[in-house]
């Protein structure tokens, strides 16, 4: 048994009793504790779990001015036997560190991330809502901490993990607007990094899309506005005839873990998934020929979001078809989290406190 390097101090007044698990707007309520670590003099130190607190940050903080800020989003849930479970946690630290490299930030030690996530989720397990599909959302965040202006990589950083109880996401089917003026990511840019600026840049076009009556933007490539990238903060899948197609990830698309999970589940069930460029013209043609059977988004928050229509150049393509494939993936993922589906992939792992990690 290894000694934990995480210093733990517990709150003396839990806020848990104030939470109504039947009324949990996404992102609003934070659990009692958070994990923190600081990067100074070339190393990560001071690993600690303590009551959630405000940070005192200098106005010259580099993250605020120049955007060195990366994050992750993952979920812990309870199995049918009440055991707190994590889902593919290692994939999130691999991706966080990929984002860190792109943004010229220090990687965070993988084992410490895993230990932090296990320890925090075990401590906060009372905050995991009991309903099926509800979860404790984990938000890892790394920000620059230098306090001197100048466009350069910071020498100091802070890493945190917050946790938030979130209700089941009963997503209404979403309507999409294929966007031909604004872009999310260009080749060579930072589209593959989960970094703050990508989301800031999407807000204005997203508002215009909302005003035009659509829920989310379907992003097209930055060069020709021809190839589909992703939707809002989800990856996208198309079922055309008997083919399942999703855009390949070649730098401009966020490498969704749910995207990968969906592909693995589909393969296991005997479906082939084509990962390749898919143009908006191909989708329009398939729709005109009656072959566009299903379109859905994938992401940690919604798991699977069915698409009801796609607008392109003033025409609405209404998807009246089923949701057979998307439903199957969603049912499998929820079942894996609950422990009612056999986990052929070893994706689920019980959260255990740091004492039992060897
Ligand atoms: C986080 C995110 C996704 C989905 O990734 P998951 O790992 O499946 O949650 C897709 N697109 C964008 C832009 C994202 O930020």
């Amino acid at each position: 048994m290894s000694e934990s390097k995480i210093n733990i101090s517990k709150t003396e007044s839990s806020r848990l009793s104030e939470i109504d698990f039947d009324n949990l707007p996404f992102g609003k309520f934070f659990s009692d504790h958070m994990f923190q670590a600081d990067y100074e003099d070339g190393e990560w130190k001071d690993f600690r779990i303590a009551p959630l607190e405000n940070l005192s940050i200098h106005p010259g903080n580099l993250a605020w001015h120049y955007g060195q800020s990366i994050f992750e989003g993952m979920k812990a849930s309870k199995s049918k036997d009440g055991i707190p479970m994590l889902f593919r946690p290692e994939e999130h630290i691999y991706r966080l560190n990929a984002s860190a490299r792109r943004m010229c930030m220090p990687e965070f030690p993988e084992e410490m991330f895993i230990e932090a996530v296990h320890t925090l989720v075990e401590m906060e397990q009372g905050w995991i809502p009991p309903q099926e599909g509800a979860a404790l959302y984990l938000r890892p965040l790394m920000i620059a901490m230098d306090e001197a202006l100048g466009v350069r990589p910071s020498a100091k950083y802070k890493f945190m993990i917050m946790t938030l109880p979130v209700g089941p996401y009963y997503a209404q089917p979403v309507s999409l607007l294929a966007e031909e003026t604004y872009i999310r990511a260009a080749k060579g840019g930072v589209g593959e990094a989960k970094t703050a600026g990508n989301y800031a840049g999407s807000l204005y076009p997203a508002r215009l899309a909302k005003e035009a009556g659509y829920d989310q933007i379907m992003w097209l490539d930055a060069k020709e506005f021809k190839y589909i990238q992703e939707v809002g903060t989800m990856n996208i899948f198309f079922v055309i005839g008997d083919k399942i197609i999703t855009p390949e990830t070649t730098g401009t698309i966020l490498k969704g873990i749910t995207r990968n999970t969906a592909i693995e589940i589909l393969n296991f069930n005997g479906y082939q998934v084509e990962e390749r460029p898919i143009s908006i013209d191909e989708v329009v043609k398939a729709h005109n020929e009656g072959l566009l059977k299903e379109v859905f988004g994938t992401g940690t928050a919604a798991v699977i979001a069915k698409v009801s229509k796609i607008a392109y150049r003033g025409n609405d393509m209404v998807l009246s078809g089923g949701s057979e494939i998307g439903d199957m993936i969603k049912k499998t993922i929820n079942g894996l989290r609950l422990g009612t589906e056999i986990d052929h992939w070893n994706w689920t792992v019980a959260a255990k406190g740091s004492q039992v990690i060897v």
Side-chain angles (χ1 to χ4, degrees), residues 179-190:
E179 175 62 60
E180 286 192 279
T181 303
Y182 300 97
I183 59 154
R184 194 191 87 92
K187 272 221 159 70
V190 296

Side-chain angles (χ1 to χ4, degrees), residues 71-74 92 95 137 184 191 193-195 198-199 219 230-235 253-260 298-301 303:
F71 66 96
E72 272 300 314
M74 55 198 285
H92 291 274
R95 188 171 64 189
Y137 184 80
R184 194 191 87 92
K194 234 173 155 69
T195 186
N198 283 335
Y199 307 86
W219 299 105
E230 50 187 319
V231 298
T233 56
M234 290 186 290
N235 295 109
I253 294 175
L254 206 288
K255 285 185 179 163
I257 294 162
T258 319
R259 173 187 180 278
N260 175 265
T298 64
T300 295
V303 187

Side-chain angles (χ1 to χ4, degrees), residues 119-141:
T119 309
L120 189 59
V121 168
E122 205 219 17
M123 267 177 80
E124 304 296 70
Q125 60 180 288
W127 288 83
I128 304 176
Q131 308 97 307
E132 179 175 347
L136 190 64
Y137 184 80
L138 276 69
R139 170 49 63 88
L141 174 73

Side-chain angles (χ1 to χ4, degrees), residues 217-245:
I217 286 176
M218 187 166 88
W219 299 105
L220 302 177
D221 78 274
K223 199 170 163 199
E224 300 175 82
F225 289 96
K226 181 172 174 193
Y227 295 102
I228 295 159
Q229 292 183 334
E230 50 187 319
V231 298
T233 56
M234 290 186 290
N235 295 109
I236 189 163
F237 285 72
F238 298 86
V239 182
I240 296 180
D242 56 5
K243 292 188 185 138
I244 306 174
I245 306 154

Side-chain angles (χ1 to χ4, degrees), residues 153-230:
S154 182
K156 287 189 286 180
Y157 295 86
K158 185 179 279 294
F159 178 70
M160 292 161 270
I161 307 175
M162 298 148 249
T163 87
L164 302 87
V166 296
Y169 200 104
Y170 294 120
Q172 292 294 316
V174 289
S175 57
L176 307 178
L177 176 65
E179 175 62 60
E180 286 192 279
T181 303
Y182 300 97
I183 59 154
R184 194 191 87 92
K187 272 221 159 70
V190 296
E192 205 170 82
K194 234 173 155 69
T195 186
N198 283 335
Y199 307 86
S202 75
L203 298 176
Y204 179 64
R207 175 190 283 172
L208 297 180
K210 274 249 155 63
E211 285 169 3
Y214 299 92
D215 298 319
Q216 302 241 356
I217 286 176
M218 187 166 88
W219 299 105
L220 302 177
D221 78 274
K223 199 170 163 199
E224 300 175 82
F225 289 96
K226 181 172 174 193
Y227 295 102
I228 295 159
Q229 292 183 334
E230 50 187 319

